[in-house]
């Protein structure tokens, strides 16, 4: 609702703006003309700096000028090289041969039957592929060994490395924060 008091206040504010008591209008007009608040001319400051740069390059002609756009174009043209083993088939399969060897050479990787240890008593690689994702089948006292800790650490490192190569744009920290 309109009142006489608010109209009087608005009127005083308009008079202050018209009289330019805070010099805002004057500064704005000066800026449009190339003057800074300090009184220096923007255009002369620009040309002074340009002159300094030209002098520098005249004194140092061997200085290499970097074209940032050219560098980015070269980066985009390069095809990223992602190393996979032959068994991984460009990220389609896991290559668990090293982990398999570590598994069969550890106590927790021995067959659980009453047979004596022998070279032919180790499990086959295809059997390992079915077992490696079932750690609950390994005895608890065997899980407390240094060998098992090293095996699980190597497994985690390999799986993280494989994931980083197959899904390079995924935020691994974000995924781990959801898991932990």
């Amino acid at each position: 609702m309109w009142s006489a008091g608010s109209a009087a206040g608005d009127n005083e504010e308009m008079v202050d703006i018209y009289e330019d008591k805070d010099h805002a209008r004057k500064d704005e007009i000066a800026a449009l003309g190339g003057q800074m608040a300090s009184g220096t001319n923007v255009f002369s400051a620009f040309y002074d700096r340009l002159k300094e740069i030209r002098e520098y390059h005249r004194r140092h002609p061997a200085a290499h000028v970097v074209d940032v756009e050219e560098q980015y174009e070269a980066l985009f043209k390069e095809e990223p090289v992602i190393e996979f083993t032959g068994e991984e088939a460009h990220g389609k399969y896991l290559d668990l041969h090293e982990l398999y060897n570590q598994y069969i050479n550890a106590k927790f990787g021995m067959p659980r039957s009453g047979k004596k240890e022998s070279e032919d008593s180790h499990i086959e690689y295809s059997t390992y592929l079915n077992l490696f994702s079932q750690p609950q089948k390994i005895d608890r006292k065997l899980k407390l060994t240094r060998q098992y800790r090293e095996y699980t650490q190597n497994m985690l490192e390999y799986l993280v490395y494989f994931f980083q190569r197959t899904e390079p744009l995924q935020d691994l920290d974000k995924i781990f924060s959801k898991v932990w």
Side-chain angles (χ1 to χ4, degrees):
M1 182 152 194
W2 183 80
S3 70
S6 67
D10 289 343
N11 189 27
E12 288 177 25
E13 189 176 330
M14 284 189 218
V15 168
D16 289 344
I17 292 172
Y18 181 75
E19 292 177 353
D20 196 26
K21 290 184 179 180
D22 62 351
H23 304 289
R25 195 170 108 211
K26 180 182 175 187
D27 292 342
E28 190 171 339
I29 291 171
L32 290 173
Q35 296 293 320
M36 296 165 81
S38 62
T40 59
N41 188 327
V42 174
F43 300 116
S44 65
F46 169 78
Y47 286 112
D48 289 344
R49 180 71 179 128
L50 181 62
K51 183 179 176 185
E52 289 175 18
I53 292 171
R54 284 184 176 161
E55 281 296 316
Y56 173 82
H57 286 287
R58 220 174 281 132
R59 279 184 266 134
H60 303 94
H64 178 66
V65 179
V66 178
D67 185 7
V68 177
E69 194 170 304
E70 184 178 300
Q71 285 180 340
Y72 283 127
E73 285 178 14
L75 285 175
F76 288 131
K77 286 179 184 176
E78 288 180 19
E79 190 67 32
V81 178
I82 300 173
E83 298 290 329
F84 288 104
T85 64
E87 288 80 7
E88 289 175 329
H90 298 288
K92 190 173 181 182
Y93 305 107
L94 294 173
D95 179 11
L96 300 175
H97 283 92
E98 287 183 35
L99 293 165
Y100 164 71
N101 288 331
Q102 189 176 359
Y103 182 86
I104 63 172
N105 291 321
K107 288 184 179 181
F108 58 86
M110 296 294 166
R112 297 209 195 354
S113 63
K115 295 180 188 173
K116 258 190 151 180
E117 281 186 38
S118 70
E119 204 53 44
D120 56 343
S121 69
H122 292 300
I123 62 170
E124 295 292 321
Y125 181 71
S126 58
T127 307
Y128 169 74
L129 293 177
N130 292 325
L131 288 176
F132 90 95
S133 63
Q134 301 172 3
Q136 69 274 12
K137 292 188 176 183
I138 298 174
D139 294 333
R140 180 171 169 75
K141 71 176 187 175
L142 293 174
K143 288 182 181 179
L144 299 174
T145 63
R146 179 184 53 81
Q147 278 184 325
Y148 186 76
R149 275 194 310 272
E150 288 175 2
Y151 169 75
T152 55
Q153 183 64 37
N154 290 341
M155 175 70 74
L156 177 64
E157 287 173 5
Y158 173 74
L159 292 175
V160 166
Y161 179 60
F162 183 81
F163 184 78
Q164 288 172 334
R165 291 179 292 149
T166 57
E167 301 286 334
L169 300 178
Q170 292 290 332
D171 185 5
L172 203 56
D173 294 330
K174 185 177 178 182
I175 293 170
F176 276 141
S177 70
K178 289 180 183 177
V179 173
W180 308 120

